[in-house]
Amino acid sequence: MSTVEQQLDDLQAEITSELPSDISVSSVKYEGPELVVYTRDPKKFAQQGDLIRKLASKLRKRITVRPDPSVLSRPEHARQEIMDVVPEEAGVSDLDFHADTGEVVIEAEKPGMVIGRHGSTLRDITKNVGWTPEVVRTPPIESSTVSNVRSFLKQERDERRDILERVGRQIHREEMSDDEYVRISTLGCCREVGRASFILSTPETRILIDCGDKPGAEGEVPYLHAPEALGAGPQNIDAVVLTHAHLDHSALIPLLFKYGYDGPIYCTEPTRDLMGLLTLDYLDVAAKEGRSPPYESEQVREAIKHCIPLEYGDVTDIAPDVKLTFHNAGHILGSAVSHFHIGDGLYNVAFSGDIHYTDTRLFNGAVNDFPRVETLVLESTYGGRNDYQTDQKDSEEKLKEVIREAHEKGGKVLIPAFAVGRSQEIMLVLEEAMRSGDIPSMPVHLDGMIWEATAIHTTYPEYLRDDLRDRIFHEDENPFLAEEFNHIDGGEEERQDVADGDPCIILSTSGMVTGGPIMSWLGHIGPDPDSTLVFVGYQAQGTLGRRIQNGWDEIPASEVGAMNDDNGRGTLSLNVTVETVDGFSGHADRAGLENFVKTMNPRPEKVLCVHGDERSVQDLSSALYHDYNMRTFAPKNLETFRFL
């Protein structure tokens, strides 16, 4: 008998000994990080609300209780009883029964009313029908991404269970080595912005954190081929942790599956959905630009199938010697500071991912409250000595002033923005400004993936700032449903109509002007001296956005898909006013990064400053060393740091 089988037998015996004699346990399985207990007495389990919590505390494991399939009531009978228990105002839109696991997925407009106070309604459902309820939100704005992901995971449910059982056995296997060390190898984003990727390794485990591309630099990918990276190949990785879905962190995750990886990806639920949206678009853009994509859509589906979503604050075993906890990073929807607890109190490492330390209109600020962190891997995008962003209120006032001036001239305002995060932040500013009369009411056209990304935001309001979450819960107050917002479906004819029409605002991807619909909008709006192009996000070195920001006023017409302009030289003249409005970035500025470290208690012993250009990482590293007397580093790519 394998050690895992013996472990499960021992756990079943221990659980049985802790339960009242009238509650049976038919089997115990590992599914991913969870211990799943099957019982023929689910109703009695549910009647004792503290039982699962006490078992989880005693066994120090995440426990899910499911009914043995042999005792399930018929779905048609259970359906009516569930509808009798759940308040009508919860807005239940679908019930999906899965007899193999005894779960019923309840989709509702107001999941909180299905859950009930401290889970009371969920327990009532199980008490009445025996089925284990799982609750998901009906998106307030229809999202094809959320719908497709849910449908795909339902279709792949059997294979997904096999994956989870295999992962569970890997997590809970016995440790093989007596050595003790922790290593971090840098595979990208060191002294540069983009292609984030690290290996965290112990004698037992190799974990890949992020695997992104580099904006504006085709072909520059993480050093996955290096010996200190994936060794003999991706199959040598035990787990992947994805901090958030931006492509400079997620674009090449599906590539791992092309080359043999078959393990878990730990991320938040919104990160999973956004990764699917952004990586499929990544393939689409590559095809339109005539480039060979590095992988196919099948690998994106494999990545989604292997995702194990975690919630903020849940301490989760992901390897025999590693526990992972996600915390809000304040950067984009579902972004996470990833805290790794290694060994039995041996060492703690936190990867910030990308962070925003103070509250924004969209998110609460990043969490930096950890029991222990010996080493912090810290993003440094705005870590330079003079990288202080404008106060957000001042930024909003400047944006409104720019819009008013363009409107008075009869022009349009074109804003390149990331589909995820920055666009929704700007939408909230515009909605409030028009509602309060600070700027004239006018159409706000959303092009590219912005509307779809917004729909995903409304599907997961629990990841948004508290007051915004409450507004989304009330449909008539949902700011993203304001009548000024208009979704452009991407047709050139529609864009031309907008360009020929009245003053308006256009929010379009891509945020760094590296492809996508913004290129077309430059062709339509760029030559108009009455219009304004406004940069509201970071423009990386080498991108067209950075060049325009630095003064370029003529660009090859081929880049923007426009016809030769009247000078006949195959270039497009940019006559628009170009403005930069700082303060909307999803990244902490220099002060925010320093405060993130300063207010950690206890502070880390070592900080690795990454994800910034050479000046930024060295400036921040030097400042943290001098101000807080800690060991700091500005690593290069392909360095390995050994701790202990």
Side-chain angles (χ1 to χ4, degrees):
M1 181 183 289
S2 74
T3 56
V4 174
E5 295 292 350
Q6 185 60 57
Q7 196 181 126
L8 288 169
D9 284 350
D10 293 346
L11 282 166
Q12 181 165 342
E14 188 172 359
I15 291 168
T16 301
S17 71
E18 294 288 328
L19 294 176
S21 57
D22 61 340
I23 299 181
S24 64
V25 174
S26 52
S27 67
V28 174
K29 293 181 179 179
Y30 284 127
E31 291 189 12
E34 294 194 337
L35 182 67
V36 181
V37 178
Y38 285 90
T39 176
R40 294 186 184 85
D41 307 292
K43 296 180 182 181
K44 293 177 182 176
F45 238 116
Q47 284 164 1
Q48 302 198 35
D50 284 345
L51 205 50
I52 297 173
R53 185 180 56 78
K54 287 176 181 173
L55 280 173
S57 177
K58 179 174 175 56
L59 300 175
R60 298 178 67 191
K61 295 187 184 298
R62 290 170 57 184
I63 293 179
T64 296
V65 174
R66 293 187 192 145
D68 189 292
S70 65
V71 299
L72 291 173
S73 59
R74 294 194 314 276
E76 56 270 24
H77 172 71
R79 181 182 300 274
Q80 187 55 54
E81 290 215 37
I82 290 170
M83 296 305 290
D84 289 343
V85 170
V86 176
E88 190 175 338
E89 50 269 39
V92 173
S93 56
D94 189 32
L95 294 174
D96 190 15
F97 292 87
H98 298 278
D100 55 337
T101 59
E103 293 171 295
V104 53
V105 179
I106 305 173
E107 185 173 307
E109 293 170 9
K110 299 176 181 175
M113 301 193 76
V114 183
I115 294 167
R117 187 173 176 79
H118 303 305
S120 57
T121 308
L122 294 182
R123 286 195 296 276
D124 287 344
I125 290 170
T126 303
K127 275 190 265 185
N128 283 25
V129 300
W131 291 78
T132 298
E134 179 187 328
V135 189
V136 297
R137 183 181 308 282
T138 306
I141 299 173
E142 188 176 341
S143 164
S144 59
T145 300
V146 172
S147 174
N148 289 341
V149 168
R150 288 178 180 175
S151 174
F152 172 68
L153 291 177
K154 177 181 173 183
Q155 170 192 321
E156 299 292 328
R157 197 172 177 94
D158 287 347
E159 187 175 342
R160 184 166 162 75
R161 276 185 71 200
D162 291 342
I163 291 168
L164 289 174
E165 286 192 24
R166 177 162 41 79
V167 170
R169 289 169 178 273
Q170 180 71 7
I171 290 170
H172 297 97
R173 63 181 168 80
E174 281 194 351
E175 293 187 36
M176 310 292 286
S177 175
D178 294 328
D179 292 346
E180 290 186 344
Y181 66 76
V182 177
R183 290 180 185 149
I184 296 174
S185 297
T186 59
L187 309 187
C189 82
C190 291
R191 306 194 185 194
E192 63 181 354
V193 173
R195 59 170 171 176
S197 197
F198 303 90
I199 288 280
L200 174 66
S201 55
T202 72
E204 291 291 331
T205 307
R206 293 164 64 81
I207 299 166
L208 180 70
I209 295 99
D210 291 344
C211 195
D213 74 346
K214 188 171 179 179
E218 186 187 341
E220 289 194 39
V221 300
Y223 290 92
L224 300 175
H225 59 280
E228 54 270 76
L230 307 189
Q235 60 269 30
N236 282 10
I237 307 171
D238 294 290
V240 174
V241 172
L242 179 57
T243 62
H244 67 285
H246 274 156
L247 288 172
D248 60 333
H249 293 254
S250 75
L252 300 175
I253 295 277
L255 184 67
L256 302 172
F257 291 88
K258 180 176 179 178
Y259 289 109
Y261 182 63
D262 195 30
I265 300 168
Y266 295 96
C267 59
T268 63
E269 205 167 7
T271 293
R272 176 198 65 194
D273 293 2
L274 289 170
M275 176 190 68
L277 173 69
L278 294 177
T279 51
L280 287 173
D281 183 70
Y282 178 78
L283 296 181
D284 190 44
V285 169
K288 285 177 179 173
E289 294 178 354
R291 292 184 282 112
S292 296
Y295 50 83
E296 298 178 355
S297 58
E298 178 57 36
Q299 277 90 48
V300 176
R301 288 192 287 273
E302 280 300 310
I304 290 169
K305 185 169 34 178
H306 285 75
C307 282
I308 298 180
L310 305 180
E311 295 182 10
Y312 293 151
D314 282 353
V315 181
T316 303
D317 290 299
I318 65 167
D321 59 339
V322 181
K323 287 179 167 59
L324 169 66
T325 312
F326 283 147
H327 301 274
N328 171 41
H331 174 62
I332 65 167
L333 184 72
S335 59
V337 178
S338 304
H339 179 272
F340 296 88
H341 178 85
I342 299 161
D344 190 11
L346 181 67
Y347 206 78
N348 294 263
V349 179
F351 287 79
S352 73
D354 291 346
I355 54 170
H356 195 289
Y357 185 50
T358 53
D359 293 353
T360 64
R361 283 179 175 268
L362 266 180
F363 305 113
N364 298 321
V367 169
N368 66 347
D369 184 16
F370 316 108
R372 276 175 50 197
V373 174
E374 280 75 49
T375 292
L376 170 67
V377 182
L378 177 65
E379 72 120 322
S380 315
T381 314
Y382 288 109
R385 189 172 291 110
N386 299 313
D387 287 345
Y388 293 96
Q389 291 179 32
T390 311
D391 175 79
Q392 186 160 339
K393 277 193 173 177
D394 293 341
S395 302
E396 292 181 9
E397 287 306 316
K398 182 177 178 183
L399 178 62
K400 288 186 277 190
E401 184 183 330
V402 167
I403 291 169
R404 286 191 293 265
E405 287 175 0
H407 187 271
E408 285 170 13
K409 291 191 293 185
K412 298 167 181 65
V413 177
L414 176 60
I415 306 176
F418 298 119
V420 178
R422 219 53 47 239
S423 293
Q424 291 73 36
E425 190 84 25
I426 299 297
M427 287 171 72
L428 292 174
V429 174
L430 298 178
E431 185 272 337
E432 184 183 278
M434 292 185 191
R435 182 162 39 86
S436 63
D438 280 359
I439 60 174
S441 183
M442 67 186 93
V444 179
H445 301 289
L446 310 171
D447 202 353
M449 295 181 297
I450 293 173
W451 185 246
E452 179 60 26
T454 302
I456 296 173
H457 279 70
T458 66
T459 306
Y460 298 105
E462 60 272 25
Y463 286 85
L464 303 176
R465 185 170 165 167
D466 302 344
D467 55 344
L468 175 58
R469 178 176 59 211
D470 294 341
R471 291 183 68 193
I472 288 173
F473 285 155
H474 299 91
E475 189 173 333
D476 54 343
E477 294 180 29
N478 188 337
F480 296 117
L481 292 173
E483 62 182 12
E484 287 85 359
F485 296 130
N486 172 51
H487 175 216
I488 295 271
D489 69 5
E492 279 305 312
E493 199 172 309
E494 190 175 2
R495 291 188 185 119
Q496 187 65 60
D497 288 344
V498 170
D500 293 340
D502 294 331
C504 63
I505 299 166
I506 302 151
L507 270 177
S508 173
T509 56
S510 73
M512 294 189 193
V513 199
T514 53
I518 189 63
M519 314 307 283
S520 174
W521 285 111
L522 282 180
H524 289 299
I525 307 295
D528 179 13
D530 293 329
S531 292
T532 304
L533 172 66
V534 187
F535 290 108
V536 294
Y538 181 76
Q539 304 299 307
Q541 289 283 1
T543 61
L544 182 56
R546 173 67 76 95
R547 296 198 292 270
I548 295 171
Q549 199 176 41
N550 288 343
W552 267 36
D553 58 6
E554 288 197 353
I555 53 179
S558 58
E559 283 202 39
V560 295
M563 300 300 292
N564 289 1
D565 72 349
D566 54 16
N567 65 21
R569 293 182 306 181
T571 59
L572 178 82
S573 294
L574 290 183
N575 300 321
V576 292
T577 302
V578 178
E579 298 276 2
T580 296
V581 181
D582 291 321
F584 290 112
S585 174
H587 295 268
D589 67 359
R590 170 63 175 267
L593 292 167
E594 287 195 335
N595 284 335
F596 182 85
V597 176
K598 177 183 178 182
T599 55
M600 287 177 71
N601 184 25
R603 288 184 194 143
E605 299 164 5
K606 300 180 181 72
V607 179
L608 276 57
C609 296
V610 302
H611 202 281
D613 61 33
E614 193 151 357
R615 175 186 59 84
S616 298
V617 293
Q618 289 180 338
D619 280 1
L620 184 61
S621 176
S622 176
L624 294 175
Y625 168 74
H626 286 295
D627 292 349
Y628 307 124
N629 193 30
M630 53 178 57
R631 294 187 65 191
T632 63
F633 305 86
K636 297 177 181 178
N637 289 329
L638 289 178
E639 287 196 58
T640 294
F641 294 80
R642 179 169 178 149
F643 308 103
L644 300 175

